C-alpha cells in the first residue's frame, strides 16, 4: 500500500507514524509546503521570546530522522497543487526548483493545517505585519524583534498562540495590545474561566 500525506506538521506527522506502526511495509510519502515538519505550534512564541533558546528545539523530527526511524519519505518545500481522485494521483510542485511532478497513491490523507486569517485592510503587506503559523514565520518575527527592538505591538487574536505571543513580547519589554472579534479571550473557555485570563 502506498500512502501520500499532504501536510507534515502535527496531524500529518502523527498520522504517518501511526500508519507505519500499523503497516511496516507501507510506502509512506509526506509532502509539506514549509521547510519544517513535526513541530509544536505552541512553542513558536517561546522561541521569539527567547525561552526556547535553540532553533533545533522547535522541531521534534526532521525529514532525515523520519526516514531513519520510520522509513517515511518526507518532502519539504513541496506543495500539492492538484488531486485526481479517479486516477489516484496528486500533482506536486517543488517550491525551490519549480519542478512539477505527479505522485500516485493508494490512500490519500489530507492534513494541510490552517492558514492565518489576514484582514483585507490597507497596510497588511507591510514588512512590520506578521502572521505566526510556521517555523519560518517565527524566525522572521524573531529577527525583526531582535533587530528593530519594537516598543509596542498589536496582536490580532486572543487565542492560545496569540496569548503566548503577548506573554513573550511583554516579557521582552514590549507594550502589547490585543484586539479580537469575540467578546472574550480564549473563546473555547467558559466566560467565568476567561475572566481570570482577562484579570
Amino acid at each position: 500500500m502506498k500512502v501520500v500525506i499532504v501536510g507534515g506538521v502535527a496531524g500529518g506527522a502523527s498520522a504517518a507514524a501511526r500508519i507505519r506502526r500499523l503497516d511496516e511495509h507501507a510506502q509512506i510519502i509526506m509532502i509539506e509546503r514549509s521547510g519544517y515538519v513535526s513541530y509544536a505550534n505552541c512553542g513558536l512564541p517561546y522561541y521569539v521570546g527567547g525561552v526556547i533558546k535553540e532553533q533545533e528545539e522547535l522541531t521534534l523530527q526532521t525529514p532525515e530522522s523520519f526516514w531513519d526511524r520510520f522509513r517515511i519519505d518526507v518532502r519539504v518545500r513541496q506543495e500539492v497543487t492538484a488531486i485526481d481522485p479517479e486516477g489516484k494521483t496528486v500533482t506536486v510542485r517543488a517550491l525551490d526548483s519549480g519542478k512539477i511532478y505527479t505522485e500516485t497513491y493508494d490512500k490519500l490523507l489530507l492534513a494541510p493545517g490552517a492558514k492565518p486569517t489576514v484582514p483585507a485592510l490597507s497596510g497588511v503587506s507591510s514588512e512590520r505585519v506578521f502572521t505566526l503559523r510556521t517555523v519560518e514565520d517565527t524566525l522572521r518575527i524573531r529577527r525583526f524583534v531582535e533587530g528593530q527592538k519594537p516598543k509596542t505591538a498589536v496582536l490580532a487574536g486572543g487565542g492560545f498562540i496569540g496569548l503566548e505571543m503577548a506573554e513573550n513580547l511583554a516579557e521582552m519589554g514590549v507594550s502589547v495590545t490585543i484586539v479580537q472579534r469575540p467578546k472574550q479571550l480564549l473563546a473555547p473557555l467558559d466566560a467565568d474561566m476567561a475572566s481570570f485570563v482577562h484579570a
Side-chain angles (χ1 to χ4, degrees), residues 84-107:
D84 176 5
E86 285 189 21
K88 290 195 167 189
T89 64
V90 293
T91 303
V92 183
R93 181 169 55 100
L95 298 179
D96 293 330
S97 68
K99 176 185 169 192
I100 295 173
Y101 66 94
T102 301
E103 192 65 62
T104 62
Y105 64 83
D106 296 311
K107 299 281 185 185

Side-chain angles (χ1 to χ4, degrees), residues 11 23 73 85 132 147 181:
D23 184 347
D73 178 2
L132 178 58
R181 275 180 277 203

Side-chain angles (χ1 to χ4, degrees), residues 9-10 39-46 58 132-135 138 161 164:
V9 187
Y39 59 86
N41 299 67
C42 56
L44 300 180
Y46 294 98
L58 292 173
L132 178 58
R133 191 185 83 77
T134 66
V135 173
T138 307
I161 302 296
E164 290 172 352

